[in-house]
Amino acid sequence: MSYRYDYEVITQWIAPGEKVLDLGCGDGSLLKHLAEVRQVRGYGVENDPDKLLACTRNGVNVIQMDMEKGLAGIEDGFFDHVIMSLSLQAMHNTQGILVEMLRVAREAVVSFPNFGYWRHRQSILNGRMPVSESLPHQWFNTPNVRFFTISDFDALCEMNGIAVRERLAFDEGKLILDEPNFLASVAVYRLGRGN
Amino acid sequence: MIQPQSVGVVAPQRAHFAEPLPLRSGGTLPEYELVYETYGELNADRSNAVLVCHALSGSHHVAGHYADDAKNVGWWDNVVGPGKPLDTRKFFVIGVNNLGGCHGSTGPMSINPATGQPWGADFPFVTVEDWVEAQARLADRLGIRRFAAVMGGSLGGMQALSWTLQYPERVANAVVIASAPKLTAQNIAFNEVARQAILSDPDFHGGHYYAHGVVPTRGLKLARMVGHITYLSDDAMGDKFGRSLRHGKAIYSYDVEFEIESYLRYQGDKFAGFFDANTYLLATKALDYFDPAFEHGGNLPAALSRATADFLVVSFSTDWRFSPARSREIVYALLHNQRNVSYAQIESDAGHDSFLLDEAQYHALLTAYFDRIKV
């Protein structure tokens, strides 16, 4: 796993001892990190056998589940934070999972690659689909199924009554304050249930 | 890593317990024997013991083979041994034949001290909880305070789960495979058909068939045939047998025509040749009665709040006898209690039987889980 500077942001938003659910937890390295520095009670969700194995090797709790079908079985408001780090763009049921995340946790933390990043735009202008640090795959082998920008996601949150409590945007690890939809390659959101 | 090896030649041992064992059913076993096998070495801290609990038709013979019978290989030999998922270079593994069994532990075939005759149908009902009590006494005898893990598939998984509730402080890890927190009505129904097959066999003689020098093989065979149907998936049965006809065409007979008939009869005959009908009856009832949530008003999370072990729960995609949904009930109840739990649903086409088979992903997961257990 590479490209994980969103971990530091996520860690800042997690209080010690929280109950945390990490959707698409990969090899469990974020949960392992959070267990070490925040003593969280963490559970990962994965549906890929190799990643389940990797989590097991890392000593991380992992529950096999198809997130496209929601999080049935997990109680309302059970978790303090539910995290989806760089996985939302690889899911079909975008709206469904956001609803589920805010059902099972007080707050959701979501990070995703910004398709509107200027290098990505430049690539499209040059006639090719973008390949970058944040979108490392070719169009023909990418696991991503949803291509959206920071502005798109803001609009979706507004439409669905999801409160954006905090948003940080980065260009290859550097915090971007101005024009994030153009200048940032990755965004990290802290979301809550809207009023 | 080494190439997986067999534990080699093994020999069963016996332990006699003179202290009466009170049973859930209200009865008491005045004294009893347990037959067991061990593999690997108990370490100096006595912290590396793993108890393997057997399912309906299993036994204490988990791994290896006997000196005088090389073909009699343990039922989980692909899991237990040097370089295998439950590595006997690291762990001291114990297999026990449960009470009421027919492989050497005290059961219906044993002599009832009160009558001098085989217990037969008078052998008291034994439950999963009773088995755990008996296993705990064996652990005491072997000087094992706390198991590194208790592990089992199907009915064996129920014992592993029950261990974490009856003796939470004595189980560091529970590995619960292809199991359930209780049987469904459908599952009890299959067991009842199996029991009726035995009970209605004229050779059953109310369970005292030993005295008549007969065995209710027809009933036991039928019971096993029903069971076997439920242990396989529709797809696996279709792939293996399809509609294959022994004679290539219909011959309009009740003899074996379809290959699946041949398979079921063979499995039934084989089983009826060595298994005891009374044990089968008792074990199916133990399955039916198991329901740790019952005394918590059906609230499984409340029932599992006692458990402190770390859990690995595993199910198989085509297992409809103990479906993945049943394993998930255990997982979510543990999650509710904030216990350490991991859950995997293994893709397999072999149905409930998958837990006994070599499946790379399944065995890799077990290996990874046991690797991280500190002893």
Side-chain angles (χ1 to χ4, degrees):
Chain A
M1 295 300 248
S2 58
Y3 201 76
R4 307 264 73 170
Y5 54 76
D6 60 329
Y7 282 10
E8 284 316 306
V9 176
I10 294 168
T11 304
Q12 297 309 312
W13 289 342
I14 306 295
E18 282 194 357
K19 284 181 279 182
V20 173
L21 182 68
D22 185 2
L23 302 178
C25 65
D27 64 1
S29 49
L30 174 59
L31 282 172
K32 200 173 178 184
H33 176 69
L34 290 173
E36 281 161 12
V37 302
R38 288 289 183 272
Q39 296 77 47
V40 299
R41 180 135 292 269
Y43 298 85
V45 169
E46 261 301 343
N47 203 24
D48 178 284
D50 291 335
K51 290 172 179 166
L52 287 161
L53 201 53
C55 287
T56 305
R57 290 194 179 115
N58 276 327
V60 169
N61 294 318
V62 62
I63 295 169
Q64 184 167 9
M65 211 187 291
D66 179 4
M67 293 183 292
E68 295 283 5
K69 294 176 182 159
L71 304 174
I74 300 179
E75 295 157 62
D76 291 1
F78 184 76
F79 289 98
D80 297 299
H81 277 100
V82 55
I83 298 165
M84 187 177 266
S85 170
L86 299 179
S87 293
L88 187 64
Q89 76 283 357
M91 287 197 58
H92 284 99
N93 188 14
T94 316
Q95 297 188 79
I97 195 63
L98 288 170
V99 169
E100 279 290 82
M101 288 173 80
L102 289 172
R103 177 182 69 79
V104 302
R106 181 167 53 77
E107 278 192 340
V109 173
V110 173
S111 67
F112 58 85
N114 175 26
F115 203 71
Y117 179 49
W118 68 274
R119 288 184 196 275
H120 298 158
R121 298 188 194 199
Q122 188 179 49
S123 187
I124 298 270
L125 276 176
N126 289 335
R128 297 294 301 271
M129 288 298 282
V131 176
S132 68
E133 196 178 18
S134 60
L135 291 174
H137 297 88
Q138 295 286 347
W139 65 272
F140 51 82
N141 66 5
T142 180
N144 299 335
V145 295
R146 300 280 186 235
F147 302 95
F148 54 101
T149 67
I150 289 174
S151 296
D152 286 329
F153 190 71
D154 286 344
L156 182 73
C157 288
E158 187 168 347
M159 188 173 85
N160 288 349
I162 296 169
V164 175
R165 296 196 173 147
E166 205 168 341
R167 182 190 74 202
L168 293 172
F170 298 88
D171 179 12
E172 291 169 11
K174 190 161 117 326
L175 190 66
I176 300 294
L177 297 174
D178 295 327
E179 297 285 345
N181 196 45
F182 188 65
L183 296 175
S185 56
V186 165
V188 193
Y189 281 71
R190 192 159 63 82
L191 306 171
R193 273 159 278 194
N195 298 320
Chain B
M1 280 298 289
I2 60 159
Q3 279 297 105
Q5 293 165 15
S6 166
V7 296
V9 173
V10 297
Q13 302 172 70
R14 311 186 71 84
H16 182 262
F17 297 84
E19 190 190 342
L21 183 74
L23 303 170
R24 284 275 171 127
S25 57
T28 298
L29 267 182
E31 58 175 322
Y32 57 96
E33 279 196 332
L34 292 177
V35 59
Y36 65 98
E37 289 179 12
T38 68
Y39 323 100
E41 300 291 330
L42 188 60
N43 64 10
D45 295 344
R46 298 167 185 254
S47 63
N48 68 335
V50 175
L51 178 66
V52 174
C53 305
H54 70 74
L56 185 59
S57 60
S59 72
H60 54 284
H61 186 34
V62 176
H65 60 269
Y66 296 131
D68 59 353
D69 188 0
K71 284 188 176 163
N72 190 352
V73 175
W75 57 271
W76 228 349
D77 191 72
N78 58 8
V79 165
V80 178
K84 292 180 180 176
L86 183 45
D87 196 324
T88 48
R89 294 170 301 167
K90 174 178 177 183
F91 294 105
F92 176 66
V93 180
I94 305 167
V96 193
N97 185 214
N98 283 324
L99 283 177
C102 56
H103 290 92
S105 291
T106 299
M109 296 161 76
S110 311
I111 300 299
N112 179 351
T115 64
Q117 298 295 312
W119 280 94
D122 297 333
F123 196 85
F125 281 93
V126 281
T127 62
V128 167
E129 290 82 359
D130 298 329
W131 288 338
V132 169
E133 287 299 331
Q135 291 160 2
R137 288 187 182 180
L138 179 64
D140 293 342
R141 184 75 57 88
L142 297 173
I144 297 158
R145 257 308 298 152
R146 187 169 195 250
F147 283 106
V150 180
M151 177 190 198
S154 192
L155 177 56
M158 289 174 166
Q159 292 160 61
L161 179 60
S162 201
W163 258 98
T164 70
L165 307 178
Q166 291 173 251
Y167 291 101
E169 71 287 355
R170 298 188 72 172
V171 187
N173 292 272
V175 180
V176 179
I177 302 168
S179 196
K182 62 172 187 256
L183 292 193
T184 59
Q186 186 195 48
N187 228 324
I188 294 169
F190 282 121
N191 283 344
E192 174 59 4
V193 172
R195 284 191 293 266
Q196 286 301 327
I198 293 168
L199 294 168
S200 61
D201 186 321
D203 285 339
F204 184 64
H205 294 292
H208 293 289
Y209 44 86
Y210 318 106
H212 293 78
V214 292
V215 177
T217 46
R218 284 165 295 178
L220 191 53
K221 173 182 172 178
L222 270 178
R224 187 60 171 175
M225 287 169 76
V226 170
H228 250 284
I229 296 168
T230 69
Y231 303 149
L232 298 177
S233 70
D234 190 15
D235 283 349
M237 217 182 253
D239 288 349
K240 202 167 174 183
F241 307 105
R243 293 180 51 85
S244 293
L245 286 159
R246 170 160 291 187
H247 306 286
K249 59 176 186 176
I251 57 165
Y252 304 99
S253 151
Y254 292 112
D255 288 337
V256 167
E257 286 202 83
F258 292 93
E259 289 298 344
I260 182 62
E261 297 172 328
S262 167
Y263 172 79
L264 285 178
R265 289 183 194 195
Y266 170 76
Q267 290 293 342
D269 283 333
K270 191 173 80 167
F271 189 71
F274 75 88
F275 209 82
D276 179 62
N278 281 317
T279 290
Y280 202 82
L281 293 173
L282 287 172
T284 58
K285 288 300 273 187
L287 270 164
D288 293 359
Y289 291 132
F290 184 67
D291 181 9
F294 185 78
E295 49 197 63
H296 297 267
N299 185 335
L300 187 63
L304 300 200
S305 67
R306 284 181 61 77
T308 55
D310 292 352
F311 279 76
L312 175 65
V313 181
V314 180
S315 70
F316 297 92
S317 58
T318 53
D319 185 351
W320 56 279
R321 185 89 196 244
F322 288 79
S323 72
R326 313 307 316 287
S327 284
R328 284 197 293 266
E329 290 174 30
I330 299 172
V331 172
Y332 291 127
L334 292 166
L335 179 62
H336 173 90
N337 289 299
Q338 300 183 49
R339 297 298 181 261
N340 285 322
V341 53
S342 284
Y343 168 67
Q345 178 184 314
I346 308 291
E347 285 298 319
S348 164
D349 62 6
H352 187 54
D353 268 351
S354 301
F355 86 88
L356 296 167
L357 305 179
D358 287 309
E359 208 291 319
Q361 184 201 339
Y362 165 45
H363 282 190
L365 185 71
L366 292 180
T367 301
Y369 193 83
F370 279 110
D371 267 356
R372 85 167 201 211
I373 295 176
K374 293 188 177 68
V375 296

